[in-house]
Amino acid sequence: MSQKVNALKLDEEDNVAVALETLKAGELLSIKNEITKISATKTIPYGHKIALNPIPKGNRVIKYGECMGLATEDIAIGDHVHVSNVRGLTEEDKSFQKECIDVENI
Amino acid sequence: MLKTFEGYRRANGSIGVRNHTIVINTVGELAGLTKKLANLVPGVIPVVHQAGQSQYSEDSDQTIKTLTGTAGHPNVSAALFLGMGTEDPAEGIVETLKKDGHHVYSIIFDKKKSIAECLEEGKVWLKNALELSKQQKTEKADVSELTIGLECGGSDAWSGITANPSIGAFSDSIVADGGTSVLAETTEAVGAEHILANRAVNSEVGNRFLEIVKRYEQRARAVGEDIKAANPSPGNKTGGLTTLEEKSLGCIKKGGNSTLMEVIDYAHSPTEKGFIFMDTPGYDVESVVGLVAGGAQIVLFSTGKGSPTGSPIAPVIKIGTNPKLYKNMPEHIDVNAGKIIDQNYTIDQIGEEIYSKVLQVANGEITASEKFHNQEFSIWRLAETQ
């Protein structure tokens, strides 16, 4: 039976999905008609991101198959991924930005 | 899917998806008379702007380039220029276009004739041009002859999730079929420029892209604005955008994952096929005008808030980002990417829907913006007015 899709993974490489509707804490993710075993750890507003994998502190957050920022703390599966636990690759940390580009080139 | 369309072959070999007769002013002072003249000959489209006068050379060059590209566009069958005074560029533009086989003419408003006489002369020329255009037959052409502009305006939190990636899926398909897609809006790429630069066909193209982004940032900084610091905005964050890179990625994903073949200046035409970037501002009207002046026969335009922006000469296909927009403004939306949110559609499915729509529109189907005569036209200004 077809399940209402409630989250979108924009690229196979992504470690986050986008909530297509507001997800309640404990609600299971359904991506591409399949219910996953991933549930939201707290309310995720629609349009916001939810972690599909554990993302340790300092690791890359991948959306669109590209590096969109770095985890500023350990992120668990099902966590809300946003400004409280991710930062951009800002000017003051060029070294990591370089590393991020190099990784993408592989 | 049959990947051909019926188009209008021009003397210079290009192919149009429309067969417009236009009247266009070279200076802002003639804006009102340009509209008046178009009204005298039903079927003629007025291309009206406020630029062209008291400009420093970089703006003057940009205006001439844009007007030349617009009047010489494959969607245009004939163009009448209205100019003013002794140093007006109209006659020069007409000479350039005539050499390329275009049907063009200019009328200069000066003290030699009355305005009524100028308008009468224009009316006679336009009536004749319109009749001639009706005799033009179409011929079958392949999608590889299409250049599609990629634009967004009135974006919302869904733009980067539904409509833009779907446009990206379409862009990758038409590029694979030998066609051309042109991404624009330099300001929107700030923060993700390294990603597009890494996709360039060679380091020369990649560096050129980084250069135009840097130039844009510097121009903004010169007037006290810091694009990087201002984005994502508080509203963006409420909508779910976390970082500048993420916001910019959502925009540049209209270009899919294809190799970046060339970076071109505003209103310039690509010399390569495939995926191209044009240096334009984020303001949708100026950006669409640049894309079309550079030869895009059709523009794809994603919108979350329903920006009505159209073009006087090119069909603009509106891709709605969310179901609410489609429910409230269905007459303004050509493709509803909001189905990804509430109807389980995938990005690839909407990408295919966009491709079908592009072919239908290339074959003459009227878009929402054409139906409502949304014919916005404004040229990107670079410097102060004299």
Side-chain angles (χ1 to χ4, degrees):
Chain A
M1 198 183 84
S2 176
Q3 168 72 22
K4 173 85 176 73
V5 174
N6 61 14
L8 189 67
K9 188 176 172 181
L10 287 153
D11 189 278
E12 280 307 306
E13 304 289 313
D14 290 0
N15 53 15
V16 293
V18 179
L20 293 175
E21 58 193 45
T22 297
L23 305 171
K24 296 186 197 79
E27 195 172 336
L28 286 168
L29 282 194
S30 168
I31 297 173
K32 285 187 183 171
N33 301 324
E34 285 170 24
I35 301 176
T36 66
K37 287 176 182 163
I38 300 167
S39 60
T41 55
K42 61 175 184 177
T43 301
I44 314 268
Y46 67 82
H48 287 230
K49 296 173 291 299
I50 178 168
L52 299 174
N53 304 100
I55 310 171
K57 184 179 176 179
N59 279 38
R60 302 181 305 146
V61 178
I62 307 291
K63 186 182 172 190
Y64 303 106
E66 312 279 3
C67 177
M68 57 148 275
L70 304 172
T72 54
E73 58 187 51
D74 289 345
I75 299 172
I77 292 180
D79 275 354
H80 184 201
V81 179
H82 203 21
V83 288
S84 68
N85 52 16
V86 178
R87 69 165 176 90
L89 308 166
T90 49
E91 300 257 336
E92 69 266 25
D93 198 353
K94 287 273 188 193
S95 60
F96 207 99
Q97 184 169 354
K98 180 74 170 51
E99 190 186 321
C100 198
I101 293 166
D102 291 345
V103 170
E104 277 159 13
N105 274 334
I106 294 167
Chain B
M1 186 161 48
L2 197 62
K3 290 179 175 171
T4 57
F5 65 97
E6 289 287 326
Y8 300 90
R9 183 70 65 190
R10 305 301 175 195
N12 66 350
S14 67
I15 190 135
V17 301
R18 294 293 183 267
N19 201 35
H20 294 314
T21 298
I22 65 170
V23 54
I24 183 167
N25 58 318
T26 53
V27 289
E29 288 92 331
L30 294 167
L33 288 176
T34 302
K35 277 186 252 181
K36 188 178 226 171
L37 182 50
N39 282 338
L40 295 176
V41 189
V44 168
I45 295 177
V47 178
V48 179
H49 62 94
Q50 310 299 331
Q53 190 67 275
S54 303
Q55 293 179 334
Y56 290 109
S57 62
E58 59 177 342
D59 272 318
S60 170
D61 291 349
Q62 185 131 300
T63 300
I64 290 171
K65 183 76 191 163
T66 308
L67 297 181
T68 307
T70 304
H73 191 277
N75 290 356
V76 173
S77 168
L80 171 64
F81 276 90
L82 300 187
M84 188 180 79
T86 50
E87 289 166 27
D88 194 274
E91 287 169 331
I93 295 173
V94 162
E95 283 316 305
T96 305
L97 289 171
K98 271 186 178 165
K99 281 181 200 151
D100 210 18
H102 296 284
H103 187 206
V104 284
Y105 188 64
S106 62
I107 294 175
I108 304 297
F109 287 69
D110 56 22
K111 53 194 170 192
K112 291 175 195 153
K113 277 180 286 189
S114 72
I115 282 181
E117 284 173 303
C118 289
L119 290 177
E120 183 56 29
E121 186 187 356
K123 189 175 149 188
V124 169
W125 192 87
L126 285 170
K127 268 189 172 169
N128 181 53
L130 197 60
E131 281 312 307
L132 282 174
S133 76
K134 286 174 185 162
Q135 292 164 21
Q136 172 115 27
K137 299 276 188 290
T138 60
E139 67 173 61
K140 197 180 283 295
D142 187 77
V143 288
S144 59
E145 291 200 74
L146 284 179
T147 299
I148 310 294
L150 312 176
E151 178 65 33
C152 51
S155 297
D156 71 353
W158 293 114
S159 299
I161 298 165
T162 59
N164 292 353
S166 301
I167 290 174
F170 157 80
S171 176
D172 284 342
S173 296
I174 197 164
V175 164
D177 289 334
T180 301
S181 68
V182 188
L183 183 64
E185 302 178 281
T186 311
T187 177
E188 309 284 340
V190 174
E193 66 266 34
H194 57 283
I195 291 164
L196 254 192
N198 280 346
R199 260 167 52 196
V201 64
N202 56 43
S203 59
E204 194 188 330
V205 172
N207 286 331
R208 170 106 177 85
F209 180 70
L210 294 176
E211 270 167 34
I212 64 161
V213 174
K214 198 171 163 190
R215 187 172 66 188
Y216 210 104
E217 278 189 87
Q218 283 167 346
R219 280 182 188 277
R221 214 169 285 138
V223 292
E225 298 292 336
D226 183 340
I227 297 173
K228 278 187 173 144
N231 284 293
S233 66
N236 291 153
K237 286 179 183 168
T238 306
L241 290 177
T242 307
T243 65
L244 175 65
E245 292 84 350
E246 182 185 16
K247 181 179 178 177
S248 300
L249 276 166
C251 186
I252 66 169
K253 277 294 160 180
K254 293 196 296 294
N257 296 311
S258 303
T259 301
L260 179 64
M261 298 304 293
E262 191 179 16
V263 175
I264 53 178
D265 284 329
Y266 184 80
H268 283 241
S269 301
T271 60
E272 301 284 337
K273 283 194 175 286
F275 174 53
I276 311 287
F277 191 93
M278 180 186 284
D279 185 17
T280 79
Y283 173 36
D284 53 18
V285 175
E286 292 179 352
S287 187
V288 167
V289 164
L291 285 166
V292 174
Q297 296 111 317
I298 294 172
V299 174
L300 297 178
F301 189 116
S302 80
T303 184
K305 294 169 187 155
S307 167
T309 298
S311 156
I313 61 166
V316 174
I317 297 174
K318 286 285 153 67
I319 324 278
T321 70
N322 66 83
K324 195 174 176 188
L325 171 68
Y326 189 70
K327 183 169 169 277
N328 294 340
M329 276 191 182
E331 74 278 24
H332 272 291
I333 300 301
D334 298 293
V335 176
N336 173 20
K339 290 191 290 190
I340 292 169
I341 300 168
D342 66 349
Q343 294 176 47
N344 287 9
Y345 275 74
T346 65
I347 284 167
D348 286 339
Q349 283 171 325
I350 301 295
E352 283 167 26
E353 207 173 298
I354 292 171
Y355 208 147
S356 302
K357 179 61 80 174
V358 163
L359 289 168
Q360 284 158 9
V361 167
N363 273 316
E365 188 185 285
I366 298 298
T367 64
S369 65
E370 287 178 293
K371 186 176 150 202
F372 290 103
H373 302 286
N374 298 342
Q375 298 169 342
E376 290 65 36
F377 192 88
S378 182
I379 301 167
W380 180 20
R381 288 295 302 268
L382 302 166
E384 192 51 71
T385 297
Q386 282 179 12

